[in-house]
């Protein structure tokens, strides 16, 4: 085994996928499996597909490229960059869009590649990240897409609870549905997709308050970590698919207050200390270059995280000293940001496990 190690249980993720597909089906919703949390790892993508997910989405083309071989539709869930439209058409069947300049370029790229590219227009319901805020602009973009060769307008989408803390509600989802119906009647078309929200929309869905016309949710955190709105556990999912393991490289008894602290710490902060007397401290070979310390919680509740620097994590092992030696492995639970950081750090080994 190599450490630090991010261990990812594919059976747990697959079972979460099965349960989310099933829960969503009861409400006429098909989930898109969002893979960005683990950088589009093919192992994750495969587990989602094995769990019954039929469309995979990622924010980054590089991640989508990692599972091109899988026989499912691929969706680019971050707005395409103007400079990468050729790759978008090559790697994604569907993309989420809000800019006319990019749509025109996408159309040209699709013509050049002799491909059809499907478009979901993003409308901003108030969370203030991507999407047109003005209804008239979304209507105009719909007309534009309908006029552009090799683009197919398949739906309307919205993102919530990412920047502005706006939760998906019956009110904002109905607003999206009403706008979709306006587009349908104005241009005499049928939109096949209303992509309401991310995992944050599951709360509304499970409360039976999601309008029936919303037929797609884009699910990442719920399938991978079993969490949704406000990072709360999602019913019918498990939260323990992912753990971080780090190795102890030093165990020493030391005072809890530094000897004459006058300087800033390695990150320019003034450190503060509480005198708890002499404590048993363990150093782990992982640091803030890999993960923020506030994103990790030791699975052994007798351990507390004292602090860390770029390459070191400092633990208090006083209450469980006898159980840990040099070379012992300490296990941690991670927050969403912690999983993302560990997945991104090239120093953290990824291990995909079953069972
Ligand atoms: C990340 C993302 C999602 C998935 O969000 P989760 O909270 O992981 O379910 C859905 N849609 C968009 C546009 C995203 O950027």
């Amino acid at each position: 085994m190599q450490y630090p190690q991010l261990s990812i249980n594919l059976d747990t993720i697959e079972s979460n996928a099965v349960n989310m597909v099933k829960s969503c089906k009861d409400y006429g919703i098909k989930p898109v499996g969002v893979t960005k949390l683990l950088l589009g790892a093919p192992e994750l993508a495969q587990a989602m597909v094995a769990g019954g997910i039929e469309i995979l989405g990622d924010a980054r083309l590089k991640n989508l490229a990692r599972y091109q071989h899988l026989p499912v539709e691929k969706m680019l869930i971050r707005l395409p960059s103007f400079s990468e439209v050729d790759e978008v058409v090559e790697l994604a069947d569907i993309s989420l869009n809000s800019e006319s300049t990019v749509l025109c370029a996408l159309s040209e790229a699709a013509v050049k590649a002799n491909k059809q590219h499907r478009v979901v227009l993003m409308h901003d319901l108030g969370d203030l990240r991507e999407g047109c805020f003005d209804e008239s602009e979304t209507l105009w973009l719909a007309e534009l897409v309908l006029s552009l060769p090799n683009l197919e307008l398949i739906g309307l989408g919205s993102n919530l609870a990412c920047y502005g803390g706006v939760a998906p509600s019956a009110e904002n989802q109905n607003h999206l549905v009403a706008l979709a119906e306006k587009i349908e009647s104005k241009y005499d078309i049928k939109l096949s997709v209303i992509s309401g929200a991310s995992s944050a929309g599951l709360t509304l869905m499970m409360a039976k308050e999601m309008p029936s016309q919303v037929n797609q949710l884009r699910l990442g955190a719920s399938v991978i970590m079993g969490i949704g709105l406000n990072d709360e556990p999602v019913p019918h999912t498990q939260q323990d698919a992912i753990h971080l393991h780090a190795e102890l490289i030093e165990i020493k008894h030391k005072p809890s207050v530094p000897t004459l602290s006058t300087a800033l710490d390695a990150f320019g902060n003034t450190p503060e200390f509480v005198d708890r007397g002499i404590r048993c401290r363990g150093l782990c070979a992982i640091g803030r270059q890999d993960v923020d310390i506030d994103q990790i919680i030791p699975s052994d509740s007798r351990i507390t995280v004292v602090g860390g620097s770029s390459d070191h994590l400092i633990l208090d092992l006083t209450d469980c000293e006898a159980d840990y030696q040099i070379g012992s492995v300490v296990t941690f639970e991670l927050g969403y940001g912690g999983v993302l950081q560990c997945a991104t750090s090239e120093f953290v080994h990824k291990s995909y496990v079953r069972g």
Side-chain angles (χ1 to χ4, degrees):
M1 283 295 178
Q2 288 182 299
Y3 300 101
Q5 184 194 115
L6 188 69
S7 111
I8 300 143
N9 190 316
L10 295 173
D11 283 337
T12 306
I13 292 174
E14 186 176 323
S15 135
N16 284 350
V18 167
N19 289 326
M20 284 302 95
V21 169
K22 189 162 162 279
S23 298
C24 287
K25 196 172 180 199
D26 293 342
Y27 300 95
I29 289 174
K30 273 198 179 181
V32 173
V34 174
T35 55
K36 66 190 182 196
L37 187 53
L38 295 177
L39 281 55
E43 294 87 346
L44 164 70
Q46 180 64 61
M48 285 181 162
V49 172
I53 284 175
E54 292 170 11
I55 307 181
L56 292 176
D58 203 288
R60 294 167 192 253
L61 289 171
K62 227 179 169 173
N63 294 347
L64 284 181
R66 295 180 70 190
Y67 51 78
Q68 279 302 301
H69 58 287
L70 293 179
V72 292
E73 288 190 298
K74 284 123 199 145
M75 176 188 263
L76 181 65
I77 64 165
R78 180 169 68 186
L79 308 177
S81 305
F82 181 72
S83 62
E84 64 183 18
V85 288
D86 290 318
E87 292 86 346
V88 175
V89 166
E90 182 196 336
L91 297 169
D93 305 290
I94 310 163
S95 59
L96 309 182
N97 285 274
S98 69
E99 287 293 347
S100 57
T101 312
V102 175
L103 284 162
C104 292
L106 266 181
S107 166
E108 269 181 44
V111 169
K112 204 165 60 181
N114 195 24
K115 276 188 167 179
Q116 288 291 318
H117 186 77
R118 298 201 276 285
V119 169
V120 172
L121 290 178
M122 290 303 271
H123 189 73
D124 190 338
L125 296 171
D127 199 55
L128 306 184
R129 202 178 71 180
E130 74 272 48
C132 310
F133 196 75
D134 279 340
E135 280 204 7
S136 56
E137 191 185 351
T138 300
L139 282 160
W140 174 74
L141 282 183
E143 187 173 344
L144 176 72
V145 176
L146 290 169
S147 75
L148 288 169
N150 294 42
L151 292 190
E152 187 187 344
L153 179 63
I154 62 163
L156 192 60
S158 172
N159 196 58
L160 290 157
C162 268
Y163 169 72
V166 177
S169 64
E171 198 180 356
N172 59 39
Q173 296 294 293
N174 271 316
H175 188 117
L176 190 69
V177 169
L179 182 56
E181 287 171 350
K182 217 180 261 183
I183 292 172
E184 291 185 325
S185 67
K186 183 158 187 205
Y187 303 113
D188 194 22
I189 54 167
K190 182 91 194 94
L191 296 177
S192 57
V193 174
I194 299 186
S195 192
S198 64
S199 297
L202 290 166
T203 309
L204 190 70
M205 182 191 87
M206 287 176 180
K208 303 187 179 2
E209 286 172 28
M210 185 66 89
S212 61
Q213 295 93 331
V214 172
N215 60 7
Q216 182 180 86
L217 289 176
R218 305 173 307 271
L219 305 182
S222 52
V223 173
I224 301 169
M225 298 179 68
I227 58 173
L229 186 65
N230 300 330
D231 292 343
E232 280 158 15
V234 171
H236 318 297
T237 63
Q238 288 168 261
Q239 286 73 49
D240 60 351
I242 299 186
H243 291 97
L244 172 68
H245 305 293
E247 187 173 346
L248 281 165
I249 54 172
E250 185 188 276
I251 301 173
K252 305 275 184 211
H253 289 85
K254 298 187 187 186
S256 35
V257 176
T259 314
L260 260 184
S261 169
T262 57
L264 302 180
D265 70 13
F267 286 77
N269 304 308
T270 308
E272 280 174 42
F273 306 93
V274 179
D275 194 351
R276 296 194 171 87
I278 301 284
R279 305 291 289 180
C280 175
R281 294 160 70 107
L283 271 191
C284 276
I286 187 167
R288 290 166 72 176
Q289 182 166 358
D290 308 293
V291 64
D292 284 337
I293 282 155
D294 62 8
Q295 287 289 319
I296 66 176
I297 300 168
S299 300
D300 184 338
S301 61
R302 300 169 302 174
I303 301 178
T304 52
V305 174
V306 174
S309 57
S310 303
D311 307 302
H312 295 88
L313 175 67
I314 308 169
L315 303 174
D316 189 321
L317 301 177
T318 312
D319 299 333
C320 51
E321 238 183 291
D323 295 342
Y324 293 89
Q325 292 90 42
I326 293 305
S328 292
V329 170
V330 182
T331 299
F332 300 89
E333 322 288 328
L334 295 161
Y336 181 93
V339 173
L340 185 62
Q341 292 165 340
C342 287
T344 308
S345 172
E346 64 175 271
F347 301 99
V348 177
H349 302 272
K350 282 74 179 174
S351 111
Y352 296 93
V353 299
R354 291 276 182 185

